[in-house]
Amino acid sequence: MKRMHITRRQFTAGLAVTAGAGLLRPRSAGAQNFGGDALVEAAKKEGKFVYYTADFTEPEQEIIKGFNKRFPFVRVEMVRAPGGQLITRIKTEAAAGKLLADCVNHSDRGLMKGIADLFQPNAGEYREDVLISKRLWPKAALGWSIAYNTELIKNPPKSWMDLCKPEYGPKKIGQVIAPSGGTTWTRIMFERQTFGDDYWKKQAATQPVLYPSGAPCSDALVRGEVSIAVLLYNIAYIKKRDGAPVDIVFPTDGVPLNYYAAGVTKAAANPNAAKLFLNWCMSEEGQEFHIKQLGYLTALKKPPFSPPGYDPAVVKPWSPNFAQYETLRAGWVEEWNKTYGYRQ
């Protein structure tokens, strides 16, 4: 991402439907109408769509509320399931010719790439290095951060290398285990490729407390069971937003980013309502909502807003080479497990 100095009028991330093709193209913010009057009217006639998601229920509910403030006539019927379970459900329904989802959102681009042929074509103003298919939208981006309990830590770590310092151990740092999912795999891939083969050994020497996911890790941070936590920014942001004694640092030596993949299915019974939803989500208004209200980042070429402390020119956003993301995963996760003494 490039450092931005733009006004809203200069921002061009709205999306519109190309007549007859179903492809989504950027519009200027001043003329932003989320796909054109014809699409809005078609979505109004459908009145609803079925939304499969692997994201957490609470943020998705807030996103749906934000969308319904703009388009109250579209009811979103959300089905939430864990990542692998959701992909299995989609494959099973599709094989039987009974795919119920109009729209799908998933945090693991690798799993979505494997079923990309189930989705309609899409194009838009996204960073090319995050696109794995012209059929999938990078609806949200998650960035890793270092959070700390402000009642317990007065000199917080400012970089990933700081997490190797003896003063932050033992048992002061909370971490999510490497095999927990695609977002954590992105982080450990970043650590290994950026800081070398011995980073995990140095960091593991601080004896971090390991957690199965970000939710129990963030709860432990708030309770003071750990004083520092390596967390996705959106998870830590919600805790801070809601009044917990938490502050957040974007490490100066890099911010690994994980991009979601979303799409409108070919089998969609309500394709216009689903497209309108994703149009709004990827518009300036929708992405600003994601960032300001929920702590997500963005894959748009021109971000409408950056969180405090997130200056891309300073924090060095990092996204994985997708081919390596797939081929290195199993071996490196196994090595991480051994280094940190984790047994599945």
Side-chain angles (χ1 to χ4, degrees):
M1 296 181 184
K2 298 180 180 179
R3 190 173 183 175
M4 304 308 301
H5 297 284
I6 60 174
T7 67
R8 289 194 176 201
R9 290 183 180 275
Q10 294 169 319
F11 187 83
T12 56
L15 301 173
V17 175
T18 299
L23 299 177
L24 298 161
R25 303 289 182 185
R27 291 178 61 91
S28 68
Q32 183 169 271
N33 58 5
F34 310 100
D37 294 341
L39 178 66
V40 173
E41 288 303 313
K44 185 180 293 186
K45 289 180 180 178
E46 291 172 352
K48 68 174 185 178
F49 71 95
V50 179
Y51 181 45
Y52 283 11
T53 181
D55 203 354
F56 293 108
T57 300
E58 292 77 8
E60 287 285 30
Q61 288 175 333
E62 291 197 41
I63 291 166
I64 291 168
K65 288 180 182 177
F67 168 70
N68 281 147
K69 285 183 179 179
R70 172 67 68 176
F71 302 106
F73 48 80
V74 177
R75 186 174 78 255
V76 183
E77 298 179 359
M78 183 176 70
V79 176
R80 195 271 165 186
Q85 181 180 325
L86 186 66
I87 294 294
T88 299
R89 175 170 179 164
I90 293 167
K91 288 180 177 179
T92 301
E93 291 182 356
K98 297 180 179 180
L99 180 56
L100 297 178
D102 297 304
C103 179
V104 177
N105 180 46
H106 207 289
S107 58
D108 194 318
R109 294 182 297 159
L111 294 178
M112 286 291 280
K113 184 179 181 182
I115 59 172
D117 61 339
L118 297 177
F119 296 91
Q120 299 183 22
N122 168 57
E125 275 211 353
Y126 319 135
R127 290 175 47 183
E128 287 81 2
D129 61 326
V130 307
L131 289 177
I132 58 167
S133 170
K134 287 293 186 179
R135 299 177 183 273
L136 299 172
W137 315 48
K139 174 179 172 288
L142 304 183
W144 282 95
S145 65
I146 300 173
Y148 61 97
N149 189 309
T150 55
E151 295 180 354
L152 301 175
I153 293 290
K154 304 304 179 185
N155 182 33
K158 297 179 176 61
S159 69
W160 298 107
M161 291 305 299
D162 282 351
L163 294 178
C164 300
K165 292 181 177 179
E167 67 185 273
Y168 297 125
K171 307 295 184 182
K172 288 185 178 180
I173 300 172
Q175 282 205 36
V176 179
I177 57 172
S180 70
T183 50
T184 311
W185 160 233
T186 296
R187 191 199 81 223
I188 70 163
M189 181 181 174
F190 159 80
E191 292 170 349
R192 172 76 171 263
Q193 290 193 334
T194 304
F195 305 117
D197 295 353
D198 61 347
Y199 176 83
W200 295 341
K201 183 177 180 180
K202 292 177 181 178
Q203 207 285 307
T206 67
Q207 302 177 47
V209 182
L210 303 181
Y211 295 91
S213 68
C217 185
S218 62
D219 289 342
L221 177 67
V222 173
R223 291 193 297 264
E225 295 169 10
V226 294
S227 52
I228 300 164
V230 179
L231 289 170
L232 291 167
Y233 173 67
N234 63 304
I235 295 176
Y237 174 83
I238 295 298
K239 295 295 186 183
K240 180 178 179 179
R241 184 196 71 179
D242 293 345
V246 169
D247 210 347
I248 309 161
V249 172
F250 285 108
T252 55
D253 44 3
V255 176
L257 302 175
N258 188 78
Y259 297 92
Y260 279 41
V264 178
T265 65
K266 289 180 180 177
N270 304 288
N272 297 295
K275 288 176 184 176
L276 183 63
F277 174 70
L278 287 185
N279 274 8
W280 180 83
C281 287
M282 292 305 301
S283 70
E284 175 187 5
E285 179 179 300
Q287 286 293 283
E288 189 166 324
F289 181 91
H290 279 68
I291 298 167
K292 286 187 174 181
Q293 301 301 319
L294 299 171
Y296 291 97
L297 300 176
T298 184
L300 290 177
K301 292 178 179 178
K302 297 180 179 180
F305 176 81
S306 290
Y310 186 78
D311 182 345
V314 175
V315 299
K316 307 179 187 72
W318 182 93
S319 58
N321 174 285
F322 195 73
Q324 295 176 350
Y325 180 92
E326 294 183 300
T327 58
L328 296 175
R329 185 170 185 167
W332 281 18
V333 167
E334 182 179 358
E335 186 175 339
W336 187 96
N337 290 342
K338 291 179 181 178
T339 302
Y340 281 81
Y342 175 72
R343 294 182 179 181
Q344 297 190 58

PDB file of all heavy atoms in Angstrom, residues 3 23 30 33 51 93 103 132 150 205 256 308 311 316 327 341:
ATOM      1  N   ARG A   3       1.503   5.368   0.771  1.00  0.00           N
ATOM      2  CA  ARG A   3       1.060   6.406   1.685  1.00  0.00           C
ATOM      3  C   ARG A   3       0.137   7.364   0.947  1.00  0.00           C
ATOM      4  O   ARG A   3       0.431   7.829  -0.143  1.00  0.00           O
ATOM      5  CB  ARG A   3       2.278   7.156   2.221  1.00  0.00           C
ATOM      6  CG  ARG A   3       1.932   8.101   3.360  1.00  0.00           C
ATOM      7  CD  ARG A   3       3.189   8.667   3.956  1.00  0.00           C
ATOM      8  NE  ARG A   3       2.908   9.510   5.090  1.00  0.00           N
ATOM      9  CZ  ARG A   3       3.857  10.055   5.839  1.00  0.00           C
ATOM     10  NH1 ARG A   3       5.118   9.814   5.579  1.00  0.00           N
ATOM     11  NH2 ARG A   3       3.532  10.809   6.858  1.00  0.00           N
ATOM     12  N   LEU A  23     -19.827  -7.889 -14.386  1.00  0.00           N
ATOM     13  CA  LEU A  23     -18.535  -7.543 -13.815  1.00  0.00           C
ATOM     14  C   LEU A  23     -18.633  -6.239 -13.052  1.00  0.00           C
ATOM     15  O   LEU A  23     -19.352  -5.331 -13.444  1.00  0.00           O
ATOM     16  CB  LEU A  23     -17.481  -7.404 -14.924  1.00  0.00           C
ATOM     17  CG  LEU A  23     -17.214  -8.653 -15.762  1.00  0.00           C
ATOM     18  CD1 LEU A  23     -16.197  -8.327 -16.852  1.00  0.00           C
ATOM     19  CD2 LEU A  23     -16.704  -9.778 -14.894  1.00  0.00           C
ATOM     20  N   GLY A  30     -17.789  10.540  -5.729  1.00  0.00           N
ATOM     21  CA  GLY A  30     -18.842  11.534  -5.862  1.00  0.00           C
ATOM     22  C   GLY A  30     -20.078  10.981  -6.534  1.00  0.00           C
ATOM     23  O   GLY A  30     -21.193  11.419  -6.275  1.00  0.00           O
ATOM     24  N   ASN A  33     -22.880   5.008  -6.361  1.00  0.00           N
ATOM     25  CA  ASN A  33     -24.238   4.538  -6.127  1.00  0.00           C
ATOM     26  C   ASN A  33     -24.276   3.024  -5.993  1.00  0.00           C
ATOM     27  O   ASN A  33     -25.289   2.394  -6.187  1.00  0.00           O
ATOM     28  CB  ASN A  33     -25.188   5.009  -7.221  1.00  0.00           C
ATOM     29  CG  ASN A  33     -24.733   4.539  -8.596  1.00  0.00           C
ATOM     30  OD1 ASN A  33     -23.762   3.794  -8.733  1.00  0.00           O
ATOM     31  ND2 ASN A  33     -25.442   4.970  -9.624  1.00  0.00           N
ATOM     32  N   TYR A  51     -26.134 -15.598   2.971  1.00  0.00           N
ATOM     33  CA  TYR A  51     -24.731 -15.229   3.147  1.00  0.00           C
ATOM     34  C   TYR A  51     -24.022 -16.271   4.004  1.00  0.00           C
ATOM     35  O   TYR A  51     -24.307 -16.412   5.182  1.00  0.00           O
ATOM     36  CB  TYR A  51     -24.674 -13.853   3.810  1.00  0.00           C
ATOM     37  CG  TYR A  51     -23.298 -13.290   4.063  1.00  0.00           C
ATOM     38  CD1 TYR A  51     -22.295 -13.344   3.104  1.00  0.00           C
ATOM     39  CD2 TYR A  51     -23.009 -12.641   5.266  1.00  0.00           C
ATOM     40  CE1 TYR A  51     -21.051 -12.794   3.335  1.00  0.00           C
ATOM     41  CE2 TYR A  51     -21.775 -12.078   5.511  1.00  0.00           C
ATOM     42  CZ  TYR A  51     -20.787 -12.152   4.542  1.00  0.00           C
ATOM     43  OH  TYR A  51     -19.558 -11.602   4.773  1.00  0.00           O
ATOM     44  N   GLU A  93     -23.099 -29.174  -1.089  1.00  0.00           N
ATOM     45  CA  GLU A  93     -24.299 -28.612  -1.694  1.00  0.00           C
ATOM     46  C   GLU A  93     -24.126 -28.422  -3.196  1.00  0.00           C
ATOM     47  O   GLU A  93     -25.050 -28.698  -3.986  1.00  0.00           O
ATOM     48  CB  GLU A  93     -24.647 -27.278  -1.023  1.00  0.00           C
ATOM     49  CG  GLU A  93     -25.134 -27.418   0.411  1.00  0.00           C
ATOM     50  CD  GLU A  93     -25.508 -26.076   1.034  1.00  0.00           C
ATOM     51  OE1 GLU A  93     -25.310 -25.038   0.376  1.00  0.00           O
ATOM     52  OE2 GLU A  93     -25.986 -26.082   2.185  1.00  0.00           O
ATOM     53  N   CYS A 103     -23.911 -15.644  -1.570  1.00  0.00           N
ATOM     54  CA  CYS A 103     -22.635 -14.956  -1.343  1.00  0.00           C
ATOM     55  C   CYS A 103     -21.858 -15.730  -0.289  1.00  0.00           C
ATOM     56  O   CYS A 103     -22.444 -16.235   0.675  1.00  0.00           O
ATOM     57  CB  CYS A 103     -22.909 -13.527  -0.879  1.00  0.00           C
ATOM     58  SG  CYS A 103     -21.441 -12.537  -0.525  1.00  0.00           S
ATOM     59  N   ILE A 132      -6.275 -13.662  -5.944  1.00  0.00           N
ATOM     60  CA  ILE A 132      -5.971 -15.037  -6.322  1.00  0.00           C
ATOM     61  C   ILE A 132      -6.908 -15.511  -7.420  1.00  0.00           C
ATOM     62  O   ILE A 132      -6.696 -16.553  -8.021  1.00  0.00           O
ATOM     63  CB  ILE A 132      -6.057 -15.981  -5.117  1.00  0.00           C
ATOM     64  CG1 ILE A 132      -7.458 -15.915  -4.486  1.00  0.00           C
ATOM     65  CG2 ILE A 132      -4.983 -15.666  -4.111  1.00  0.00           C
ATOM     66  CD1 ILE A 132      -7.735 -17.018  -3.508  1.00  0.00           C
ATOM     67  N   THR A 150      -2.427  -2.079  29.521  1.00  0.00           N
ATOM     68  CA  THR A 150      -1.832  -0.805  29.947  1.00  0.00           C
ATOM     69  C   THR A 150      -1.652  -0.703  31.451  1.00  0.00           C
ATOM     70  O   THR A 150      -0.892   0.148  31.925  1.00  0.00           O
ATOM     71  CB  THR A 150      -2.701   0.368  29.461  1.00  0.00           C
ATOM     72  OG1 THR A 150      -4.048   0.189  29.929  1.00  0.00           O
ATOM     73  CG2 THR A 150      -2.705   0.442  27.937  1.00  0.00           C
ATOM     74  N   ALA A 205      11.991 -18.858  23.461  1.00  0.00           N
ATOM     75  CA  ALA A 205      12.759 -18.849  24.713  1.00  0.00           C
ATOM     76  C   ALA A 205      12.108 -17.979  25.782  1.00  0.00           C
ATOM     77  O   ALA A 205      12.385 -18.145  26.977  1.00  0.00           O
ATOM     78  CB  ALA A 205      14.183 -18.371  24.442  1.00  0.00           C
ATOM     79  N   PRO A 256       2.220  -8.177   8.951  1.00  0.00           N
ATOM     80  CA  PRO A 256       1.699  -9.197   8.043  1.00  0.00           C
ATOM     81  C   PRO A 256       0.190  -9.077   7.890  1.00  0.00           C
ATOM     82  O   PRO A 256      -0.536  -8.907   8.869  1.00  0.00           O
ATOM     83  CB  PRO A 256       2.092 -10.518   8.723  1.00  0.00           C
ATOM     84  CG  PRO A 256       2.378 -10.178  10.138  1.00  0.00           C
ATOM     85  CD  PRO A 256       2.794  -8.748  10.178  1.00  0.00           C
ATOM     86  N   PRO A 308      -4.977   4.787  13.594  1.00  0.00           N
ATOM     87  CA  PRO A 308      -3.858   5.453  14.271  1.00  0.00           C
ATOM     88  C   PRO A 308      -2.656   4.518  14.373  1.00  0.00           C
ATOM     89  O   PRO A 308      -2.786   3.359  14.754  1.00  0.00           O
ATOM     90  CB  PRO A 308      -4.432   5.772  15.655  1.00  0.00           C
ATOM     91  CG  PRO A 308      -5.907   5.836  15.449  1.00  0.00           C
ATOM     92  CD  PRO A 308      -6.216   4.815  14.396  1.00  0.00           C
ATOM     93  N   ASP A 311       0.813   3.733   9.474  1.00  0.00           N
ATOM     94  CA  ASP A 311       1.320   4.484   8.325  1.00  0.00           C
ATOM     95  C   ASP A 311       2.095   3.493   7.466  1.00  0.00           C
ATOM     96  O   ASP A 311       3.180   3.051   7.857  1.00  0.00           O
ATOM     97  CB  ASP A 311       2.227   5.618   8.789  1.00  0.00           C
ATOM     98  CG  ASP A 311       2.754   6.467   7.637  1.00  0.00           C
ATOM     99  OD1 ASP A 311       2.651   6.009   6.473  1.00  0.00           O
ATOM    100  OD2 ASP A 311       3.269   7.561   7.894  1.00  0.00           O
ATOM    101  N   LYS A 316       5.558  -0.951   7.080  1.00  0.00           N
ATOM    102  CA  LYS A 316       5.908  -1.964   6.075  1.00  0.00           C
ATOM    103  C   LYS A 316       4.883  -3.097   5.994  1.00  0.00           C
ATOM    104  O   LYS A 316       5.156  -4.226   6.413  1.00  0.00           O
ATOM    105  CB  LYS A 316       7.288  -2.551   6.370  1.00  0.00           C
ATOM    106  CG  LYS A 316       8.409  -1.539   6.534  1.00  0.00           C
ATOM    107  CD  LYS A 316       9.722  -2.242   6.855  1.00  0.00           C
ATOM    108  CE  LYS A 316      10.815  -1.265   7.185  1.00  0.00           C
ATOM    109  NZ  LYS A 316      10.623  -0.615   8.509  1.00  0.00           N
ATOM    110  N   THR A 327       2.662 -23.950  -0.549  1.00  0.00           N
ATOM    111  CA  THR A 327       3.639 -25.041  -0.556  1.00  0.00           C
ATOM    112  C   THR A 327       4.442 -25.165   0.744  1.00  0.00           C
ATOM    113  O   THR A 327       4.843 -26.262   1.121  1.00  0.00           O
ATOM    114  CB  THR A 327       4.621 -24.874  -1.725  1.00  0.00           C
ATOM    115  OG1 THR A 327       5.294 -23.600  -1.617  1.00  0.00           O
ATOM    116  CG2 THR A 327       3.888 -24.933  -3.053  1.00  0.00           C
ATOM    117  N   GLY A 341       7.055 -26.280  21.321  1.00  0.00           N
ATOM    118  CA  GLY A 341       6.624 -27.354  22.202  1.00  0.00           C
ATOM    119  C   GLY A 341       5.134 -27.584  22.197  1.00  0.00           C
ATOM    120  O   GLY A 341       4.563 -28.014  23.218  1.00  0.00           O
TER     121      GLY A 341
END
